[in-house]
């Protein structure tokens, strides 16, 4: 990759109060851009003042959705270092998504270094306070103007940064989940294992329906038989059944979450049996009836661990662990956020120090 | 809807030569815009000079793909009138797509009238020449800045116009089709019956693979069993088997094509038996083996009718009708384009005259 060019903003923004952050509502002073054009490849990496994009109305992203994205967070450690959590995994997954969407591959190492430079420049934007962090959103859009349905020849890669508040402003607490039996997020052969906009567009309707019924997230079933559990909202999902932890196997329509992978590693390191396999909602319900469904929780970058206290599937209502956060969920949340924030040892070498 | 405001371009573009049009590569001097914001609803419809959009990098369309679009064409009749083909159907489908994508509904009549005014202003852009037309692309994008996954509160509706060349520059001719058995376009419960960017993003990869193998389009099978025929490329598909015409029934994952509907009406008016039902690729292959697969063709706004001369499914290669355009395909193409262009009577009252 060429040398990164940097144009500093001449007028810095006022930073929001740390109790007013929310998620993805405020953006920092600068962003990272890089262009792709056919023949020339990826070129002109640059840090510029954060500002609007100018795109032709026929830019392909507006019509045929060629887009991929990632999400990760930067934390400030008690020692004053700035760290990322397994960013190599995010950039590897970005390229995996690119492959599915026919978007040209990026140089992962060079991109990580460019992100590092952006974060160094914006380090004062990493908010203080328990649970706050700087959310990093790399994404690629097809910018070529034209209405022919095909892979574009021109793309823009962007990285924008947003200071975000703690997901649980009043401490980790369980959510109510609706098992979706009509809408489908993704299917085998589709784009489910890619992080691309269409998967999220597809899920908005079901999310609205669930919210209208008093639930905070949807549990997605497989698109083929509407039987097997896939994800919860935009998170991976885990169940503790009779002492064993089970999570749906990566089958092509499930996103390979980095928090998911980390949770599997941590549980195994504690000697817990973790099984990645197909699990039906019916099996789960039977386990619940028999008193064996001990915990359920989602995993993702935003919430890290999101305990599930209640699930509704057709006519069946299941309270899990008395509606309280389970022991594994609590311990995983504490240890994982502890590692991410540099407050605990890093036995798996997951932290990447931004220097 | 409020009164449409109009700002004329002060510098008109040079129009491309009619033999250099292609598809969706040139755009006219003006475009139609309308804003939506929560509380205010759709407002500020306006015709302005065609030009770039300015959007925050966090605009939701770039991240979560909340987008819908339509496609239709304006033709100039031998009598000098400008006509659209069943535009009410397109705007009805636009709202149907909006419903699936949690985008607020538009006033179909008011939007059609606004499109009418845009076309009147741009009528000199309707290209002369057999098979040329002015392609109309209405679309709606989520413009609200922010990274929370939910329906946006702000949207922009656009209508852009592109003079397009004849799909078949050397006359209608059959294409070679690859029956896709790995990738999936859409599934029951997904967004397949909506015209939204994610469905197209999902298909680009398979299209590239098929092109690499020497085919021009992909025949999509259902996402559940990978057995039943859904669409071909971005068209609906019809088969003539032993005198009867069969097309996949609208099952929720198939786009309700307006050309599809028109073809069904025309065939029935000719006394042809038309059946909308589930049809497996295996059934089709058996019919081919028995010499009963007499014709196959796709239908869509761009090509109108696209005859299929050859299909490959797993190890099986099927030449259809000696690789030539079939009688129904030819007659449908001639009559439908004749009606669309005002060269034939309009027995179904499908033409909409732009005054």
């Amino acid at each position: 990759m060429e040398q990164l060019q940097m144009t500093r903003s001449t007028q810095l923004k006022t930073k929001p109060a740390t109790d007013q952050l929310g998620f993805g509502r405020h953006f920092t002073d600068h962003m990272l851009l890089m262009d792709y054009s056919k023949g020339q490849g990826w070129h002109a990496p640059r840090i510029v003042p954060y500002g609007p994009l100018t795109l032709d109305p026929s830019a392909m992203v507006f019509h045929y959705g060629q887009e991929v994205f990632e999400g990760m967070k930067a934390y400030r450690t008690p020692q004053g270092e700035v760290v990322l959590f397994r960013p190599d995994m995010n950039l590897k997954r970005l390229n995996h998504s690119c492959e599915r969407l026919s978007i040209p591959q990026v140089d992962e190492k060079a991109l990580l270094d460019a992100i590092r430079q952006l974060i160094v420049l914006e380090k004062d934007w990493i908010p203080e306070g328990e649970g706050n962090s700087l959310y990093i959103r790399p994404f690629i859009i097809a910018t070529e103007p034209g209405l022919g349905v095909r892979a574009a020849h021109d793309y823009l890669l962007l990285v924008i940064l947003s200071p975000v508040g703690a997901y649980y402003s009043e401490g980790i607490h369980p959510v109510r989940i609706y098992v979706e039996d009509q809408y489908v997020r993704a299917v085998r052969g589709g784009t489910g294992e890619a992080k691309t906009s269409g998967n999220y567009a597809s899920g908005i309707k079901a999310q609205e329906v669930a919210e209208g019924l008093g639930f905070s997230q949807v549990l997605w079933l497989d698109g083929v038989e509407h039987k097997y559990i896939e994800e919860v909202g935009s998170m991976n999902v885990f169940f503790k059944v009779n002492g064993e932890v089970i999570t749906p196997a990566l089958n092509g329509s499930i996103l390979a979450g980095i928090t998911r992978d980390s949770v599997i590693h941590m549980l195994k390191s504690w000697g817990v049996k973790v099984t990645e396999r197909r699990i039906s909602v019916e099996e789960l319900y039977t386990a619940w009836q028999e008193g064996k469904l001990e915990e359920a929780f989602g995993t993702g970058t935003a919430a890290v661990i999101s305990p599930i206290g209640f699930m509704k599937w057709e006519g069946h209502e299941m309270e899990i662990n008395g509606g309280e956060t389970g022991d594994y969920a609590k311990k995983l949340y504490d240890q994982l956020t502890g590692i991410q924030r540099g407050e605990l040892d890093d036995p798996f070498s997951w932290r990447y120090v931004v220097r």
Side-chain angles (χ1 to χ4, degrees), chain A residues 75-325:
Chain A
Y75 308 90
R76 195 186 302 278
T77 71
Q79 295 73 37
E81 283 184 325
V82 173
V83 293
L84 304 180
F85 183 72
R86 309 184 77 185
D88 52 315
M89 295 280 282
N90 288 92
L91 298 184
K92 190 174 157 190
R93 187 173 66 183
L94 182 71
N95 267 339
H96 187 71
S97 300
C98 283
E99 205 282 329
R100 180 63 184 84
L101 274 294
S102 298
I103 293 175
Q105 300 281 302
V106 298
D107 179 334
E108 295 168 24
K109 281 194 178 163
L111 177 57
L112 179 55
D113 193 63
I115 291 172
R116 178 190 65 75
Q117 292 183 61
L118 178 66
I119 294 169
V120 167
L121 180 66
E122 302 288 62
K123 64 179 185 304
D124 292 346
W125 277 92
I126 305 174
E128 303 286 341
E130 174 73 25
N132 297 334
S133 59
L134 185 67
Y135 184 80
I136 303 162
R137 169 57 58 91
F139 62 112
I140 302 176
I141 55 176
T143 53
E144 183 185 352
L147 300 181
V149 182
R150 58 164 171 75
H153 298 155
D154 305 322
Y155 299 87
L156 181 64
L157 177 150
L158 300 95
V159 182
I160 58 177
L161 307 179
S162 171
V164 299
Y167 195 86
Y168 301 105
S169 50
E170 296 167 3
I172 184 169
H173 67 87
V175 294
R176 290 164 55 84
I177 297 295
Y178 180 77
V179 180
E180 177 57 51
D181 52 8
Q182 179 188 356
Y183 297 111
V184 164
R185 176 191 163 271
V187 70
R188 168 186 72 186
T191 55
E193 68 175 348
K195 207 161 173 72
T196 181
S197 56
N199 296 338
Y200 296 78
S202 163
I204 288 172
K205 182 82 191 167
Q207 174 70 21
E208 286 192 337
V209 171
E211 280 172 11
L213 296 169
F215 296 87
S216 67
Q217 296 278 355
V218 156
L219 188 82
W220 296 109
L221 301 181
D222 77 284
V224 174
E225 301 182 61
H226 288 219
K227 271 187 191 174
Y228 299 99
I229 292 164
E230 300 229 312
E231 299 190 13
V232 58
S234 49
M235 293 183 283
N236 296 114
V237 66
F238 287 76
F239 304 98
K240 183 182 169 204
V241 178
N242 206 18
E244 175 187 357
V245 174
I246 305 167
T247 190
L250 300 178
N251 60 356
S253 55
I254 293 173
L255 190 76
I258 292 154
T259 312
R260 174 187 182 278
D261 181 79
S262 306
V263 160
I264 292 172
H265 274 88
M266 290 174 73
L267 286 168
K268 286 185 175 171
S269 78
W270 301 342
V272 176
K273 184 177 178 195
V274 184
T275 310
E276 299 176 65
R277 66 167 169 88
R278 204 157 78 153
I279 177 168
S280 72
V281 63
E282 188 159 3
E283 176 188 343
L284 205 66
Y285 179 62
T286 304
W288 179 83
Q289 283 182 308
E290 294 170 352
K292 292 178 183 166
L293 178 55
E294 296 152 352
E295 281 194 47
F297 54 89
T299 65
T301 296
V304 187
I305 304 291
S306 180
I308 297 169
F310 184 87
M311 285 200 335
K312 179 164 183 174
W313 169 52
E314 294 173 353
H316 313 298
E317 305 199 330
M318 300 172 245
E319 192 181 67
I320 302 167
N321 193 39
E324 300 296 319
T325 299

Side-chain angles (χ1 to χ4, degrees), chain A residues 16-77:
Chain A
T18 51
D19 59 349
Q20 297 291 319
L21 293 174
F23 181 79
R25 298 207 325 245
H26 305 277
F27 296 92
T28 68
D29 292 304
H30 299 85
M31 60 185 179
L32 171 66
L33 302 181
M34 184 161 60
D35 299 313
Y36 178 93
S37 56
K38 205 175 171 177
Q40 209 175 348
W42 286 108
H43 64 279
R46 58 202 185 274
I47 289 172
V48 297
Y50 185 93
L53 300 182
T54 300
L55 286 173
D56 196 89
S58 70
M60 289 182 176
V61 66
F62 295 132
H63 303 272
Y64 308 126
Q66 244 194 315
E67 191 266 3
V68 293
F69 72 93
E70 273 302 325
M72 47 186 168
K73 287 177 175 174
Y75 308 90
R76 195 186 302 278
T77 71

